[in-house]
Amino acid sequence: MLLNEENQNRVSRAIAAVEKDTDAELVTVLARQADNYRYIPMMWAALLSLLVPLILAFTPIWLAPLEVLLAQWTTLVVLALVFRWPPLMMRLVPASVKQRRAADLARRVFLDQGLHHTKGGTGVLIFVCEAEHYVEILADQGIARHVPNERWQSIVDTFTAHVKARDTLNGFLECVASCGDELITHVPATEQKNELPNHLIVL
């Protein structure tokens, strides 16, 4: 669930504590959902409504062509409304589509927040989409050359488990701490700076 102000402040304090000992700039972003997926309910409703004439052909009910058309339209409208119920809609969205939408949003956020403009290329984005159960860590070139992707993936996998368990706060706190361990080891602080905001950005 999206975090309240108190929990957001806990994440901010965790980031500030890490950044005291590293030149890296951590930015955390929490999005409720990467896309509204409005076309998904209509797509499924349209596909299923096309089956109405076939279903009627195997029943003893005889309908005139206009009545069959009306039955199709009714099915389309009813299913489109039912499929808009968020929990059901998210189940209808293909996993590949959810992942692609969330990944695209993560990259847009990386650029919008200016993580690619930090001194020495030390920006690190911790990005979460709750509805998609999607977590990604994006590191600029100054960090990527020191920390292998495999290490980030291990941290992401742990965080994703927290998100699926609706424990986003502890997921963030553990992720920030784990990222801090890597960053303090590989990119220790050489100066005091704070180029990017420490507060959790909620979309």
Side-chain angles (χ1 to χ4, degrees), residues 45-93:
L47 289 173
L48 293 175
S49 67
L50 292 175
L51 297 177
V52 170
L54 180 61
I55 294 172
L56 291 174
F58 288 92
T59 67
I61 303 173
W62 186 89
L63 296 177
L66 185 59
E67 292 174 317
V68 173
L69 182 60
L70 180 60
Q72 279 189 292
W73 276 104
T74 302
T75 301
L76 174 65
V77 172
V78 170
L79 290 181
L81 292 174
V82 170
F83 290 164
R84 285 179 65 86
W85 184 48
L88 178 56
M89 182 180 68
M90 291 305 295
R91 289 181 177 274
L92 295 174
V93 181

Side-chain angles (χ1 to χ4, degrees), residues 35-191:
D35 195 321
N36 57 36
Y37 303 110
R38 288 178 180 170
Y39 63 95
I40 294 293
M42 183 58 69
M43 181 187 71
W44 278 105
L47 289 173
L48 293 175
S49 67
L50 292 175
L51 297 177
V52 170
L54 180 61
I55 294 172
L56 291 174
F58 288 92
T59 67
I61 303 173
W62 186 89
L63 296 177
L66 185 59
E67 292 174 317
V68 173
L69 182 60
L70 180 60
Q72 279 189 292
W73 276 104
T74 302
T75 301
L76 174 65
V77 172
V78 170
L79 290 181
L81 292 174
V82 170
F83 290 164
R84 285 179 65 86
W85 184 48
L88 178 56
M89 182 180 68
M90 291 305 295
R91 289 181 177 274
L92 295 174
V93 181
S96 60
V97 173
K98 290 189 284 189
Q99 184 170 11
R100 186 163 60 249
R101 292 289 188 275
D104 288 346
L105 180 57
R107 281 147 185 80
R108 291 201 303 272
V109 169
F110 187 93
L111 297 177
D112 290 345
Q113 295 299 320
L115 278 98
H116 58 308
H117 288 316
T118 58
K119 181 179 179 181
T122 58
V124 177
L125 172 66
I126 300 173
F127 177 84
V128 180
C129 262
E130 284 199 319
E132 289 82 359
H133 296 158
Y134 183 89
V135 178
E136 186 170 10
I137 297 174
L138 294 175
D140 204 2
Q141 56 185 357
I143 303 297
R145 70 168 64 105
H146 296 292
V147 183
N149 288 333
E150 293 76 14
R151 180 57 187 133
W152 294 133
Q153 190 58 51
S154 175
I155 298 172
V156 164
D157 291 342
T158 300
F159 196 169
T160 302
H162 279 287
V163 174
K164 290 180 178 179
R166 302 175 67 83
D167 186 22
T168 304
L169 172 61
N170 286 322
F172 264 118
L173 296 177
E174 288 185 22
C175 182
V176 169
S178 296
C179 288
D181 291 340
E182 296 293 331
L183 296 171
I184 292 169
T185 299
H186 298 287
V187 193
T190 59
E191 59 179 321

Side-chain angles (χ1 to χ4, degrees), residues 15 19 25-28 113 194-201:
I15 294 171
E19 289 187 350
E25 291 286 338
L26 276 171
V27 173
T28 53
Q113 295 299 320
N194 190 29
E195 300 177 72
L196 299 174
N198 292 340
H199 67 268
L200 175 67
I201 298 169

